Amino acid sequence: MTTRREFLQATSLTLGSLALGSRAMAADFPSRSFDVVIPTREGGGADRLLRAFAGVWKTYLDVDLDIGFFPGASGAVGYQVYMGKRDHDPHNLLFGNMGPELAVMVVQEPGYSYPEDFQYFARLDVDPSVMFVNADSPFQTVDDIIAAAKERPLNVSTSRLPHPASIGALLLGEHTGAQFNLVPLSGGRNTIAGVVTGEVDLGVLPSGSVGAAGDALRTLLVWDDTNPNPEVFSNAPTMNEHFGTSAPALVSSRAFAIHSATIEQFPEEFALLESTAKQAAEDPAWIEAAKEANQPVEILKFGDRAACETFAVGMIEQATKYKGLLTGKG
C-alpha cells in the first residue's frame, strides 16, 4: 500500500501547474452547489443528520448541498462512485459513517484507501454502538441474553456485517461464551424492524437509530465509556463496567470527506470548508435543527481533521484485528 508520504511526493510535481487554477477558483469559491455523495440509502441516519446540518452550513457557504445516494456493498459503492466518478474539485464531497465504512474498506479491499485517496475533515457525531431488544422481549437484561445464548445461538440483526456494533457482539460472545449469529439486514431501519417483528432475537446498532425508535425498543448494553443518555437508553450498562472488560469504544461517527488530491490542489478552498463547517457546528441553530430531525443531541460532537484522523486510524486497527470474524471466516 502506498504511504501518505509517498502519495504526496508523487503528486508534488503537479502542484505548481495547478496553483494558478486553484487561486482563480479561490476568488469566487464556492461558485456552485456542492455535490455530496452519501454511500447509504435515502432516509437513513446519515441522510437525516446531513440534511439538518446542511441547512445551517449553507448560511456560511451561501450555496446549497445537493445530495446523491449510492447504497450498495455495505457502503463501498458510494465510495467507489466518489473516488472514480467525481472530479478533484472542492465542490465535490462525501458524507460517510467512518466506523462501519472504514471497516468495510478493510474487509472488502474495494480498491480505495485512507488516507491516500480520501480524508475526513468535519465529524458531526460520536454515536456508540448498543445492544437492544423489542420492548416486549422476555430478555430484561444483558445477563438474560448471555444465559439464553449459552443454551442456543441467538440471531442478532446488524445493519452490515463489517460494523463497530458487529464487533461489539463478537467481543461479548468471546468474553462470555455466548453464541451469536450475526444477521446483516441492510440498514438501520431493517435492523430495527427485524427486532420489532421478532425475526431476530435482538439487534446491535448505533444509539442514534435506537433512540429515534422510542419506546418500541429497550437498550441492554452500550459499547462506549458511558451511556450517552441513561434515560433514553434504559439505564443500560457499558460492557466494561458490567463485565470488567477493557473493550475499546465501538462507535459510529459521521463526517464529511474529500479527495486527498483536492486538499493538496485547492488549499484555500479546503481551509474555507474546514472553517465554515466548524462555525456551523458551533451555531446554536445546529442543535435546534438536529432536534427537529429527531437526532439525539447528546451524541453531537464536532471533530476537525485531526480528530477524524485519530478515529480513522483506530478504527482501521480494530477492523484489521477482527477481519476474519467480520467476513465470517474467523
Side-chain angles (χ1 to χ4, degrees):
M1 178 182 291
T2 302
T3 67
R4 173 167 168 72
R5 179 183 297 274
E6 291 169 339
F7 172 80
L8 295 180
Q9 288 175 341
T11 58
S12 63
L13 294 177
T14 67
L15 297 185
S17 61
L18 290 165
L20 181 60
S22 176
R23 287 194 295 271
M25 180 180 285
D28 61 355
F29 178 77
S31 59
R32 62 174 176 85
S33 297
F34 287 89
D35 178 0
V36 185
V37 169
I38 293 185
T40 48
R41 64 174 51 88
E42 186 174 5
D47 180 17
R48 296 193 303 272
L49 194 69
L50 173 57
R51 291 185 189 277
F53 187 75
V56 181
W57 198 12
K58 68 178 291 185
T59 64
Y60 295 91
L61 295 171
D62 201 30
V63 295
D64 292 320
L65 279 73
D66 296 332
I67 303 171
F69 300 93
F70 299 90
S74 298
V77 168
Y79 280 75
Q80 288 168 335
V81 167
Y82 182 70
M83 302 305 164
K85 297 184 178 181
R86 296 295 184 270
D87 294 335
H88 295 164
D89 181 321
H91 295 91
N92 293 329
L93 305 174
L94 180 143
F95 185 69
N97 192 336
M98 291 192 288
E101 287 156 16
L102 286 169
V104 167
M105 183 189 75
V106 171
V107 170
Q108 296 185 2
E109 301 179 3
Y112 55 82
S113 60
Y114 174 94
E116 291 78 17
D117 296 318
F118 69 100
Q119 295 178 45
Y120 300 101
F121 67 91
R123 181 193 71 196
L124 298 189
D125 68 349
V126 176
D127 195 352
S129 299
V130 300
M131 174 175 282
F132 62 95
V133 294
N134 188 316
D136 298 326
S137 170
F139 301 125
Q140 297 296 311
T141 68
V142 67
D143 293 324
D144 294 338
I145 294 287
I146 300 305
K150 287 182 176 180
E151 297 294 326
R152 66 174 178 88
L154 296 184
N155 291 324
V156 183
S157 63
T158 182
S159 61
R160 38 188 147 170
L161 195 56
H163 194 288
S166 301
I167 294 175
L170 294 171
L171 285 175
L172 183 62
E174 287 178 347
H175 179 72
T176 63
Q179 306 169 80
F180 295 126
N181 177 35
L182 289 171
V183 182
L185 292 182
S186 183
R189 285 184 175 182
N190 292 337
T191 301
I192 290 172
V195 173
V196 171
T197 62
E199 179 183 354
V200 294
D201 298 296
L202 64 148
V204 290
L205 274 178
S207 68
S209 297
V210 176
D215 295 336
L217 305 174
R218 186 168 65 253
T219 304
L220 300 183
L221 193 68
V222 179
W223 283 284
D224 200 359
D225 297 331
T226 60
N227 184 324
N229 189 329
E231 183 176 350
V232 172
F233 300 112
S234 313
N235 290 305
T238 69
M239 180 172 171
N240 288 343
E241 68 184 356
H242 192 74
F243 293 100
T245 55
S246 56
L250 297 168
V251 305
S252 293
S253 200
R254 299 171 183 89
F256 288 93
I258 193 168
H259 295 109
S260 296
T262 300
I263 296 175
E264 303 302 328
Q265 294 169 15
F266 301 97
E268 294 179 49
E269 290 82 356
F270 178 64
L272 180 65
L273 289 172
E274 287 188 298
S275 63
T276 55
K278 187 173 187 296
Q279 285 179 291
E282 294 173 347
D283 191 325
W286 161 224
I287 300 299
E288 295 307 313
K291 288 179 179 178
E292 291 180 8
N294 201 26
Q295 296 295 296
V297 298
E298 63 272 6
I299 67 172
L300 301 182
K301 297 178 182 178
F302 181 79
D304 61 12
R305 183 183 176 190
C308 292
E309 180 181 6
T310 298
F311 177 88
V313 170
M315 189 66 239
I316 290 170
E317 290 176 352
Q318 290 180 28
T320 301
K321 181 178 179 180
Y322 299 106
K323 182 175 180 179
L325 295 173
L326 296 176
T327 57
K329 299 177 181 179

